[in-house]
Amino acid sequence: MHKAGFVNIVGKPNAGKSTLLNQLMGEKLAIVTQKAQTTRHRIFGIYNEPDLQIVFSDTPGVLDPKYQLQEKMMDFVKDSLQDADVFLFIVDVTDKEIPSEFLTEKLNKIPVPVLILVNKIDKSNQEELEKAMLFWHQQIPKAEILPISALEGFNTDAILPKLKSLLPENPPYYDKDQYTDKPERFFVNETIREKILLNYEKEIPYSVEVVTELFKEKESIIFIDSIIYVERESQKGIIIGHKGEAIKRVGTQAREDLEKFFAKKIHLNLFVKVKKDWRKNERDLKNFGYR
Ligand SMILES: Nc1nc2c(ncn2[C@@H]2O[C@H](COP(=O)(O)OP(=O)(O)OP(=O)(O)O)[C@@H](O)[C@H]2O)c(=O)[nH]1
Ligand SMILES: [Mg+2]
């Protein structure tokens, strides 16, 4: 008997969705930063055992869209609300702001099992955790609740057996040696974007999109050319920095991560270009893969 299904990770920005995906997969598939709205796409992590295939999906955090890019991000979330066999709804135990009513309402309506993961308990205490567990039980009574730390891997090994018992009998959806739906270039783009999120402030990271134009793999080295698109000329200077120091730092940090990810030496060239107001331009967004 073979079980297979889609397990969709949903939650507010910064709750720890991508950290959880990486922890469950034992591999860094999704970029993680302390900034909200790090994830912009829907990313599949495909977990395989001889008699089991779980297709995890990481999604952007649920928010109220203010511009077209964010609308496209929410389209990915809407997709993930359509095709789940099980939901992993991840909430931050230390989050004092109002919860996402949109998600709570949806998850209550959809006749699919929900596992609520109360995350970041390493930063919390017993009292706060008990309060959160009670609160979430009242919000979504049908859900099972599990306290975890996605970062430290606390209780995360309890998730797989639970999912296995909930998933239907199905043949695998993907080849059993495939572990993601995304091409190599996607991971290059995302790694560079992660370093940009980490190295620049305010609007800069949110105004950046990365496109890899060359990915040429040789036996012992990969040659990569990537373009960093910004929205305005003034942002180009900030990305490059004084004497090119800022972009050099991004390049070095990205190369180090990519050498680990691909287990090969990497030669990385970065270029900066302006694509005016791309976040609000339907055609640019489409070209960048936001449909
Ligand atoms: N202390 C602690 N920090 C965590 C934990 N899980 C995630 N974080 C941190 O929370 C921040 C956000 O984590 P992400 O995994 O990027 O969150 P996300 O939900 O994918 O965020 P978006 O993609 O922006 O929606 C990062 O700084 C993580 O290191 C946890 O269990 N404990
Ligand atoms: Mg994320």
Side-chain angles (χ1 to χ4, degrees):
M1 183 186 81
H2 189 279
K3 287 185 152 193
F6 287 80
V7 173
N8 299 350
I9 305 171
V10 293
K12 278 172 55 173
N14 219 37
K17 298 176 293 300
S18 300
T19 307
L20 177 70
L21 176 80
N22 295 340
Q23 182 67 249
L24 291 167
M25 292 294 297
E27 172 135 36
K28 185 169 170 186
L29 288 185
I31 59 169
V32 169
T33 78
Q34 75 284 5
K35 291 197 173 81
Q37 300 174 54
T38 293
T39 306
R40 290 179 181 169
H41 290 267
R42 190 173 183 204
I43 304 161
F44 287 171
I46 306 163
Y47 176 87
N48 290 301
E49 279 179 17
D51 57 352
L52 175 70
Q53 179 172 77
I54 305 179
V55 184
F56 290 106
S57 96
D58 183 17
T59 48
V62 169
L63 49 77
D64 209 359
K66 301 273 189 303
Y67 45 88
Q68 252 142 317
L69 168 64
Q70 291 183 330
E71 276 170 27
K72 304 281 173 196
M73 287 159 60
M74 289 313 101
D75 286 344
F76 290 131
V77 176
K78 281 174 199 151
D79 287 349
S80 85
L81 291 171
Q82 304 292 326
D83 57 19
D85 292 296
V86 180
F87 284 106
L88 292 180
F89 178 32
I90 180 160
V91 299
D92 180 340
V93 68
T94 65
D95 191 356
K96 294 280 178 287
E97 286 168 37
I98 32 166
S100 168
E101 268 180 40
F102 171 81
L103 267 178
T104 310
E105 209 176 288
K106 287 274 182 225
L107 295 176
N108 268 322
K109 260 193 221 145
I110 303 172
V112 167
V114 179
L115 185 54
I116 299 178
L117 303 172
V118 179
N119 190 32
K120 309 195 187 182
I121 60 166
D122 56 289
K123 282 209 303 194
S124 179
N125 56 47
Q126 195 63 28
E127 195 189 334
E128 193 175 39
L129 175 59
E130 276 169 20
K131 233 169 101 184
M133 303 259 295
L134 188 65
F135 175 81
W136 285 109
H137 174 67
Q138 286 160 347
Q139 294 290 308
I140 309 179
K142 71 170 175 186
E144 189 177 341
I145 306 181
L146 190 69
I148 64 161
S149 166
L151 184 69
E152 296 187 350
F154 176 78
N155 243 355
T156 48
D157 49 3
I159 299 172
L160 281 178
K162 279 192 201 301
L163 294 177
K164 196 169 180 175
S165 71
L166 290 169
L167 285 175
E169 231 182 288
N170 264 326
Y173 291 96
Y174 290 88
D175 281 348
K176 300 273 307 214
D177 57 4
Q178 193 175 341
Y179 62 94
T180 180
D181 64 321
K182 292 280 183 280
E184 286 154 332
R185 284 171 200 235
F186 177 81
F187 295 101
V188 176
N189 300 342
E190 288 291 271
T191 303
I192 295 165
R193 212 164 54 75
E194 181 185 73
K195 302 315 171 197
I196 288 168
L197 278 152
L198 294 173
N199 281 287
Y200 302 90
E201 300 192 319
K202 303 199 177 116
E203 272 303 286
I204 295 286
Y206 299 103
S207 308
V208 161
E209 184 65 40
V210 181
V211 175
T212 293
E213 297 228 312
L214 174 84
F215 186 96
K216 196 170 176 190
E217 188 160 2
K218 297 277 171 84
E219 207 174 296
S220 62
I221 187 167
I222 307 173
F223 293 94
I224 299 173
D225 289 353
S226 301
I227 301 174
I228 298 169
Y229 285 102
V230 290
E231 289 202 303
R232 287 188 296 279
E233 200 62 43
S234 60
Q235 296 170 335
K236 189 173 164 178
I238 296 175
I239 292 284
I240 293 167
H242 181 60
K243 291 184 178 163
E245 271 167 19
I247 195 168
K248 200 173 160 202
R249 192 159 53 236
V250 167
T252 305
Q253 292 173 359
R255 180 175 49 75
E256 283 168 1
D257 277 21
L258 290 169
E259 288 186 338
K260 271 186 225 140
F261 188 78
F262 291 110
K264 267 195 186 173
K265 206 169 141 43
I266 304 276
H267 187 277
L268 176 63
N269 280 324
L270 294 178
F271 305 89
V272 189
K273 289 187 184 170
V274 180
K275 204 176 266 294
K276 205 170 170 324
D277 294 330
W278 66 265
R279 284 192 297 179
K280 301 185 189 103
N281 185 306
E282 198 66 38
R283 207 186 50 216
D284 290 340
L285 286 164
K286 209 172 208 151
N287 287 337
F288 287 152
Y290 297 99
R291 285 188 299 189

